[in-house]
C-alpha cells in the first residue's frame, strides 16, 4: 500500500465511526434506554427487528451501541485533548526553559510514570463511587499526558538550540511569537501521532473500566457497559459480547493504524540537501 | 586595556568581553569545569568600517559575535553600540536595537526555519519592526532577493529546495531586510562558490559604500578577508592575539600564530610547493588553556622561553595601529598618536 | 588502466515543482579510480550535492532518478541493489561527509555516541571498544580534549568542530571511497591543512578514493588529480588539474578562476560572472551558459554543445572547441 493509502484507509474508517456516533439520534432505531412498548423485558438474540438483539432489559443493542459510540468516542477524544493540552504545556515549558526547571520537571514525570495508570484509575473511581462522565474525562485526561509531555519536551529541547530560533531572536521577534511560530509547528507531527495512539489507548481503557463497573455508569450506554450487561446472570448471550467487542477492537485498531501511518508519513526526510 | 583609541566615538565598542560556558555532568551538580570560549576580548568597529575576525576554529569567533548581539548572554565585559550600553538594555529595547544590529549565521542550513517559505523568513523582520506590510512588504522581499542575486519568484519556496550557497544568500537578504547599521557576518561566503562569493563580497562592499554599513566579518578564507577588511583581528583560544590594519597584517604578520595561519592558505596553483609553518602539537582545549601565552605550546618562535609559559602577554601596540600579544615581538617605535583607520 | 572503483553513467535527477519538472542533475558521467582524488566544482546550485547524494541513493524525498542512470561501485550497481546491501555499503565501504553538519548530526545525542554508532552498526566491536575508537578518531581529526568533547552535544561545539565530527564519522571505518561535500569550508586554514593531510595519508595507506566537492580552488590545486566542473546540472569540463589552471577550456571555468580572490591585498572589485544561473525548471535551449558568456554567438542558442573529448581525461562542453576563432579577447 502506498503511504497515502495507509493513512487514508484508517482515516476514512475513523470518520465512519465519528459519523455513526454523531448521527446516533437519527440512525438508531430506538432511543438507547427505551424499554419495548410490549413490556417484553428479556434478552433476545438478533432478529430482523433488533439486528443486534436486545439486552436483559429488553433494550435494542444496536441503538445502545450507536449511542454508546457517542459516549466512548467523546470520552476518548475529550480526555486525549485534555492530555495533549496539559502534556504540551508541561513539556514545552520544561524544554523551553531548560536547566534546573527542566531537570526537576523530568524527575517529577519519572515519579508519575512509576505509578501504574490503571491502578490510579481504579483507586480513584472506587473512591468516587458513581463517577459522573465529566469526572471520568478529567481523570483519564489528567493521567494520560506523561508521554506527550516527554516527547514534546525532547522535541522542544532540540528545537531550542537550532539556529533558526536564534535567527528569529536576532531579528527582534518576541519570545511568545518565536515559540508559537518557530517551535510549535515542529511539534505538531509528534502531537498528532501521540494523540491518535492515545485515543486508541483510551477507548480500550474506558471500556475496561466501564466493564468493571467503574467507568461509565448505567443507565448510560458505552461499549464497556454493554459488554458488562452481557455478563449479567441468566446464561450466555453472545450478541452482547460479540457486537460491542468487535466495535471496540475495530475502533482501537483503526486509531492505532492511523497513528502508525501518520508517524511514518511524518518521519524525517532522509536528507534535505 | 583598550585596544585602540579613535577620536570619534566608535559605533561598536567591546571591552573585555568574556563568555564562559559551564560544563556540567547533570543539572543539579556544580559545573565541573568551564569552557573559556571568549576570554577578555576588546575591539572597536567604526561606522562604515569592516573589522575581520579570523582565527582557529573553536577560538570563539561565533561566540563573540553572538555575545555582542546578546544572542547569548556574555559572562562579563561591556558592549556599547551607538552610545548605548547593550548589556543594560531590557528585553523590549533590545528587540528594538536588533533593527540596527543584524547577523548572518554561519550555518545556512540550520538558520532557516524549514517550515517557513523564504519570503516569510525575510518578511518577518519587516513585520516585527513595522517597516512594511502587505504588498509593500512583498515588493521589498522581491527587491531583496534580487539584490542578493536570487530570483524573486523563489520567495514562495521552502529552504530545503535550495542549495547551500543559495540559502546563505537568503540569510543575507534576511539580515538586510531591516536596514541595519551593523551586521555580524559569520562566515557569510564560506558556503559559496567563488563566482557567487565574488558577487556577494562585491554586494557587501557596495552596501557598505552606499549605506555606511559596518561589519564584523568572521571568516576563514583569508583571501576574502584581504578584500573585505579594513582591519583584521586574529583570535586564538578565546583571545585576540593580533589586531592590525589589513595591509600591515598581511604584509608583516608579527604574532607567530598569524604567521602560521597565513602560511597555511592553499593557493590555486597546482604543484607549487609552499613553505608552510606546521603547528606542532594538539590544539589546546579552551576548558584548560595553557598558562602564560595561550599559544606557547605550539609556538615556533626561536626565542620562546619561560616567560612565554608563565606570563600572559598583553595586547600591545607594537607598531602604529598594530597590536600584538607576544612577549617576543619588539615594540618598534614609541607608542603612536591616535591611529587612523586604514 | 584498471577498472574504476566508481563509475557514474548518465546520472539524471529531477524534481517535480510547481513550476514544472526541475532537471537538477542532467546527464552526469564520470569515473573515480582507487587511490585517486577527483574534485567536483561548480556554481552554487548546479547539482553537486545532489550528485553526491545520488551516488549513495540518499536523494531527498521528491527527487526522481531517471531509469537509464547507472552508478557502479566495485562492479555492483548501486541504484538497483537491494536496500539491505546498500545499507551495509554505506558508512562502511563508501562514506559521505555531508555539507551541513548541523542537520546531519542528531541534536539530542552526544557526538561520541554518534561516531561510535557507525562502528557498532558495521563491526562486531562492543559498545566500550566502539566508544574508545570513536574518541581516538575524534582526536585524529584534531578535536582537542577528545574524550571530554565526545560527551558533548552538537550545539555545544563550534561550527568547525561539528564539521570534524562528521569527518570522523566518515573516516572511522577506513572506507574505500569517501564522498566529501565541502569537508573543510567550515575550518580554519591550519586545521584544514591538517584534515587534508589526514585524507592524503589515508589515500596513501589504504588506497582510499576521494570525490571532493569544494569551492576552494586552492584545495583543488593541492588535493585533486582530476577536476570536474559542473554548470546547470551538467559537466561542462573535465580536466587534469594542472591543465585546468593553466588552460581552462570552458568560459565558465575561466570565469571561475578569474573570480578567485588572492592574498595580495589590493582591494579592487572582484571579477564576477555577470548574471545568475537559470532555474533548473527551464534550462535554455542550446548552451546553458550562453546568457552569461562573453563569446556566445547564434550557434550557442540553437545547438546544445556536446562534451568533446580533447585528450586523456580532458573533455569540454563548448562550441569554441570546434570554432576557436570565435573566441573574443
Ligand atoms: N552552548 C555551548 N555550550 C558549551 N560550549 C560551547 C557552546 N557554544 C560554543 N561552545 C564552545 O566555545 C568555543 C568557541 O566556539 P565558537 O563557536 O565561538 O568558535 P568559532 O571560533 O566560531 O569556531 P568555528 O570557526 O569552528 O566556527 C568552542 O570550544 C565551543 O565548543
Ligand atoms: N527538494 C528539492 N526540491 C526542489 N529543488 C531542489 C530540491 N533540492 C535541491 N533542489 C535544487 O537542485 C539544485 C541542485 O542543488 P544542490 O544542492 O545539488 O546544489 P550544489 O551544487 O550542491 O550547490 P551548493 O554549492 O550551493 O551547495 C538547486 O538548484 C536546488 O534548488
Ligand atoms: Mg563559528
Ligand atoms: Mg551543495
Amino acid at each position: 500500500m502506498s503511504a497515502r493509502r495507509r493513512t487514508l484507509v484508517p482515516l476514512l474508517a475513523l470518520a465512519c465511526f465519528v459519523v455513526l456516533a454523531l448521527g446516533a439520534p437519527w440512525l438508531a432505531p430506538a432511543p438507547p434506554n427505551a424499554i419495548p412498548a410490549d413490556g417484553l423485558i428479556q434478552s433476545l438474540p438478533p432478529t430482523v427487528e433488533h439486528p443486534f438483539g436486545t439486552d436483559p432489559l429488553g433494550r435494542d443493542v444496536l441503538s445502545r451501541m450507536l449511542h454508546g459510540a457517542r459516549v466512548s468516542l467523546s470520552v476518548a477524544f475529550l480526555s486525549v485533548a485534555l492530555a495533549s493540552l496539559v502534556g504540551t504545556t508541561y513539556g514545552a515549558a520544561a524544554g523551553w526553559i531548560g536547566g534546573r526547571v527542566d531537570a526537576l520537571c523530568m524527575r517529577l514525570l519519572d515519579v508519575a510514570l512509576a505509578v501504574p495508570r490503571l491502578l490510579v484509575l481504579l483507586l480513584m473511581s472506587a473512591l468516587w463511587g458513581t463517577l459522573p462522565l465529566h469526572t471520568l474525562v478529567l481523570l483519564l485526561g489528567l493521567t494520560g499526558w506523561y508521554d506527550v509531555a516527554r516527547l514534546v519536551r525532547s522535541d522542544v529541547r532540540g528545537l531550542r538550540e537550532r539556529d533558526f530560533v536564534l535567527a528569529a531572536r536576532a531579528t527582534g521577534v518576541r519570545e511568545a511569537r518565536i515559540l508559537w511560530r518557530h517551535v510549535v509547528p515542529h511539534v505538531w507531527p509528534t502531537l498528532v501521532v501521540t494523540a491518535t495512539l492515545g485515543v486508541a489507548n483510551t477507548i480500550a481503557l474506558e471500556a475496561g473500566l466501564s466493564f468493571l463497573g467503574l467507568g461509565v455508569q448505567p443507565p448510560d450506554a458505552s461499549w464497556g457497559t454493554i459488554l458488562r450487561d452481557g455478563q449479567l446472570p441468566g446464561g450466555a448471550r453472545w450478541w452482547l459480547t460479540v457486537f460491542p467487542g468487535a466495535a471496540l477492537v475495530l475502533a482501537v485498531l483503526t486509531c492505532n493504524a492511523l497513528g502508525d501511518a501518520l508517524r511514518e508519513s511524518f518521519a524525517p526526510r532522509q536528507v534535505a540537501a | 586595556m583598550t585596544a585602540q583609541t579613535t577620536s570619534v566615538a566608535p559605533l561598536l565598542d567591546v571591552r573585555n568581553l568574556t563568555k564562559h560556558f559551564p560544563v556540567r555532568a547533570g543539572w543539579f551538580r556544580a559545573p565541573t569545569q568551564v569552557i573559556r570560549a571568549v576570554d577578555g576580548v576588546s575591539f572597536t568597529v567604526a561606522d562604515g568600517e569592516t573589522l575581520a575576525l579570523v582565527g582557529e576554529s573553536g577560538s570563539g569567533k561565533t561566540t563573540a559575535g553572538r555575545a555582542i548581539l546578546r544572542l547569548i548572554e556574555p559572562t562579563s565585559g561591556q558592549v556599547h553600540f551607538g552610545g548605548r550600553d547593550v548589556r543594560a538594555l531590557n528585553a523590549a529595547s533590545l528587540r528594538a536595537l536588533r533593527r540596527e544590529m543584524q547577523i548572518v549565521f554561519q550555518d545556512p542550513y540550520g538558520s532557516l526555519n524549514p517550515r517557513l517559505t523564504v519570503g516569510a523568513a525575510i518578511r518577518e523582520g519587516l513585520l516585527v519592526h513595522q517597516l512594511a506590510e502587505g504588498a509593500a512588504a512583498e515588493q521589498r522581499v522581491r527587491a531583496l532577493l534580487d539584490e542578493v542575486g536570487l530570483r524573486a519568484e523563489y520567495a514562495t519556496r521552502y529552504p530545503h529546495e535550495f542549495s547551500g550557497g543559495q540559502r546563505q544568500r537568503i540569510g543575507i537578504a534576511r539580515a538586510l531586510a531591516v536596514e541595519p547599521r551593523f551586521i555580524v557576518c559569520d562566515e557569510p561566503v564560506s558556503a559559496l562558490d567563488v563566482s557567487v562569493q565574488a558577487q556577494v563580497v562585491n554586494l557587501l562592499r557596495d552596501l557598505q559604500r552606499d549605506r555606511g554599513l559596518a561589519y564584523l566579518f568572521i571568516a576563514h578564507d583569508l583571501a576574502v578577508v584581504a578584500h573585505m577588511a579594513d582591519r583584521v583581528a586574529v583570535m586564538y583560544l578565546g583571545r585576540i592575539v593580533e589586531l592590525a590594519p589589513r595591509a600591515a597584517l598581511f604584509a608583516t604578520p608579527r604574532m607567530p600564530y598569524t604567521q602560521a595561519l597565513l602560511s597555511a592558505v592553499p593557493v590555486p596553483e597546482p604543484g607549487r610547493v609552499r613553505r608552510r609553518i606546521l603547528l606542532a602539537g594538539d590544539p589546546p582545549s579552551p576548558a584548560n588553556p595553557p598558562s602564560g601565552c595561550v599559544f606557547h605550546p605550539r609556538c615556533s618562535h626561536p626565542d620562546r622561553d619561560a616567560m612565554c609559559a608563565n606570563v600572559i602577554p598583553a595586547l600591545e601596540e607594537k607598531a602604529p595601529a598594530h597590536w600584538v600579544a607576544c612577549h617576543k615581538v619588539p615594540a618598534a617605535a614609541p607608542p603612536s598618536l591616535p591611529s587612523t583607520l586604514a | 588502466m584498471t577498472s574504476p572503483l566508481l563509475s557514474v553513467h548518465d546520472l539524471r535527477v529531477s524534481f517535480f515543482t510547481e513550476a514544472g519538472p526541475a532537471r537538477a542533475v542532467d546527464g552526469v558521467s564520470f569515473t573515480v579510480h582507487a587511490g585517486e582524488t577527483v574534485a567536483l566544482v561548480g556554481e552554487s546550485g548546479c547539482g553537486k550535492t545532489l550528485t553526491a547524494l545520488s551516488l549513495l541513493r540518499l536523494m531527498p524525498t521528491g527527487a526522481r532518478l531517471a531509469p537509464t542512470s547507472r552508478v557502479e561501485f566495485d562492479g555492483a550497481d548501486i541504484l538497483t541493489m537491494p536496500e539491505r546491501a546498500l545499507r551495509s555499503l554505506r558508512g562502511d565501504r563508501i562514506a559521505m561527509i555531508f555539507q551541513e553538519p548541523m542537520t546531519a548530526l542528531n541534536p539530542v545525542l552526544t557526538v561520541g555516541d554518534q561516531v561510535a554508532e557507525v562502528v557498532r552498526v558495521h563491526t562486531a566491536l562492543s559498545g566500550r571498544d566502539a566508544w574508545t575508537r570513536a574518541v581516538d578518531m575524534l582526536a585524529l581529526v584534531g578535536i582537542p580534549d577528545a574524550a571530554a568533547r565526545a560527551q558533548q552535544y552538537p550545539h555545544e561545539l563550534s561550527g568547525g568542530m561539528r564539521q570534524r565530527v562528521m569527518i570522523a564519522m566518515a573516516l572511522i571505518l577506513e572506507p574505500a571511497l569517501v564522498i566529501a561535500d565541502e569537508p573543510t569550508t567550515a575550518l580554519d586554514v591550519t586545521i584544514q591543512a591538517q584534515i587534508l593531510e589526514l585524507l592524503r595519508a589515508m589515500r596513501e595507506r589504504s588506497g582510499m578514493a576521494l570525490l571532493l566537492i569544494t569551492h576552494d580552488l586552492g584545495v583543488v590545486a593541492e588535493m585533486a588529480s582530476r577536476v570536474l566542473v559542473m554548470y546547470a546540472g551538467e559537466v561542462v569540463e573535465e580536466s587534469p588539474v594542472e591543465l585546468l589552471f593553466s588552460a581552462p577550456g570552458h568560459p565558465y571555468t575561466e570565469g571561475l578562476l578569474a573570480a578567485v580572490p588572492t592574498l595580495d591585498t589590493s582591494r579592487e572589485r572582484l571579477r564576477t560572472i555577470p548574471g545568475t544561473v537559470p532555474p533548473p525548471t527551464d534550462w535554455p535551449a542550446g548552451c546553458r551558459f550562453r546568457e552569461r558568456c562573453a563569446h556566445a554567438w547564434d550557434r550557442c542558442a540553437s545547438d546544445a554543445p556536446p562534451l568533446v573529448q580533447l585528450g586523456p581525461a580532458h573533455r569540454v562542453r563548448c562550441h569554441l572547441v570546434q570554432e576557436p576563432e570565435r573566441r573574443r579577447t
Side-chain angles (χ1 to χ4, degrees), chain A residues 181-272:
Chain A
R181 196 168 150 79
H182 293 276
V183 175
V184 169
H186 294 265
V187 180
W188 269 119
T190 310
L191 214 55
V192 171
V193 172
T194 42
T196 333
L197 297 175
V199 167
N201 204 347
T202 317
I203 290 175
L205 201 59
E206 176 270 326
L209 285 175
S210 302
F211 178 76
L212 294 175
L214 297 166
V216 177
Q217 300 296 319
D220 284 349
S222 88
W223 294 340
T225 57
I226 302 173
L227 277 169
R228 178 178 165 83
D229 291 341
Q231 300 307 109
L232 289 180
R237 285 171 290 247
W238 59 268
W239 56 95
L240 285 177
T241 312
V242 169
F243 293 120
L248 192 64
V249 169
L250 220 61
V252 170
L253 274 181
T254 300
C255 290
N256 275 332
L258 183 62
D260 287 340
L262 285 174
R263 173 159 40 210
E264 220 155 284
S265 73
F266 287 141
R269 307 158 164 276
Q270 279 188 306
V271 212

Side-chain angles (χ1 to χ4, degrees), chain B residues 109 163-164, chain C residues 48-49 99 181:
Chain B
Y109 295 90
S163 74
Chain C
K48 303 181 295 293
T49 298
Q99 186 175 3
D181 195 355

Side-chain angles (χ1 to χ4, degrees), chain C residues 148-171:
Chain C
R149 289 293 184 168
Q151 302 196 26
Q152 287 189 301
Y153 294 91
H155 77 266
E156 295 177 314
L157 303 187
S158 79
M161 288 183 206
R162 280 177 218 152
Q163 187 67 50
R164 279 174 273 168
V165 172
M166 295 281 310
I167 295 173
M169 280 166 81
L171 299 184

Side-chain angles (χ1 to χ4, degrees), chain B residues 57-58 60-63 106 186-187 218 220, chain C residues 158-160 186:
Chain B
S57 161
K61 303 179 295 297
T62 298
T63 306
Q106 179 169 10
D186 196 353
E187 314 214 9
I218 302 172
H220 285 309
Chain C
S158 79

